[in-house]
């Protein structure tokens, strides 16, 4: 059976879709047959980040409504044969997502995939609650700022109480913390919370820290998951995240301010 992973947060704009795309790509690159689903009905950004927006014919809601077969809607990634994308609808309302319909699609995917990554919208509206309901694992994405962390804390309460696992009194969803847009320089001058500050508030297992990096924006604009940019610090950080999720014991990087070399200091850069 597939492991269902929800990528979620309380606040928008923290990097959930970037994380969902990178995480799914990382799992697939390691030989795991992986599907990533966009639950943000009405907006639909995952296909842009994955670079497959022109290949969308059918979407998630079409499959739920019986207007298309699942295989018609799944888009195979051109860079990795083990990765498939199920896009959201831009023209439907979020109420189109039903618990029964979502469950049926996840069950069908589970028959032939190892991992199913659910890219959730922010907050607690229907798309988000549907993405969380069937999850086995949750990657809680937050920025190192008070409002983002506070909203993530609220999401933890929902994960613990409104999931299928909670209803069935089963083993709880396994929760992981992913800290994005982290800048040691800004932490040093008190403009951001530190990793320890965030962990003290949320008390979650730290899956990774993604440094603030232009590589993320550049990759999104090109329709390429940033994990494929192996030269960038963000790409390396996401690769570490996937490795840790799969059980590897890796030290956390990018937590300290990098010392500049002589030439950098001379030219202020």
């Amino acid at each position: 059976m597939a492991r269902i992973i929800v990528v979620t947060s309380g606040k928008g704009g923290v990097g959930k879709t970037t994380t969902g795309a990178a995480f799914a790509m990382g799992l697939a690159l390691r030989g795991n047959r992986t599907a990533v689903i966009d639950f943000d009905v009405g907006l639909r950004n995952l296909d842009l980040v994955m670079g497959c927006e022109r290949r969308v014919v059918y979407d998630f809601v079409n499959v739920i409504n019986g207007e298309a077969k699942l295989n018609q809607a799944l888009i195979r990634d051109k860079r990795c044969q083990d990765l498939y994308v199920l896009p959201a609808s831009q023209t439907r309302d979020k109420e189109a997502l039903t618990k029964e319909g979502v469950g049926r699609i996840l069950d069908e995917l589970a028959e032939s995939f190892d991992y199913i990554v659910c890219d959730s919208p922010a907050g607690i509206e229907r798309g988000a609650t549907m993405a969380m309901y069937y999850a086995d694992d949750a990657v809680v994405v937050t920025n190192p700022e008070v409002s983002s962390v506070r909203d993530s804390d609220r999401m933890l309460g929902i994960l613990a109480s409104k999931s299928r696992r909670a209803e069935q009194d089963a083993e709880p969803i396994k929760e992981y913390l992913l800290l994005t847009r982290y800048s040691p320089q800004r932490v040093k001058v008190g403009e951001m919370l530190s990793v320890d500050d965030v962990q003290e508030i949320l008390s979650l297992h730290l899956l990774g820290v993604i440094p603030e990096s232009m590589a993320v924006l550049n990759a999104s604009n090109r329709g390429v998951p940033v994990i494929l940019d192996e030269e960038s610090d963000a790409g390396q950080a996401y690769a570490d995240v996937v490795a840790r999720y799969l059980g590897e014991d890796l030290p956390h990087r990018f937590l300290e301010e990098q010392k500049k070399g002589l030439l950098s200091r001379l030219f202020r850069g």
Side-chain angles (χ1 to χ4, degrees), residues 66-156:
E67 299 159 354
K69 299 290 186 183
L70 181 57
N71 284 339
Q72 291 178 284
L74 283 172
I75 301 171
R76 190 174 189 172
D77 188 85
K78 291 182 177 180
R79 296 152 299 206
C80 181
Q81 64 177 5
D82 287 320
L83 181 59
Y84 291 77
V85 179
L86 182 57
S89 170
Q90 282 185 306
T91 59
R92 307 293 181 97
D93 187 85
K94 290 178 172 59
E95 297 302 313
L97 296 180
T98 64
K99 191 177 292 185
E100 295 75 18
V102 171
R104 176 170 46 82
I105 291 175
L106 291 175
D107 285 344
E108 189 174 343
L109 286 169
E111 293 175 4
S112 55
F113 285 87
D114 300 309
Y115 293 100
I116 302 168
V117 179
C118 302
D119 178 28
S120 169
I124 56 173
E125 46 89 349
R126 189 170 185 82
T129 56
M130 286 294 98
M132 288 186 283
Y133 182 76
Y134 291 99
D136 299 309
D137 301 327
V139 178
V140 180
V141 183
T142 187
N143 292 157
E145 56 184 54
V146 173
S147 62
S148 181
V149 175
R150 180 195 62 196
D151 289 348
S152 293
D153 201 21
R154 186 182 183 195
M155 298 307 294
L156 294 176

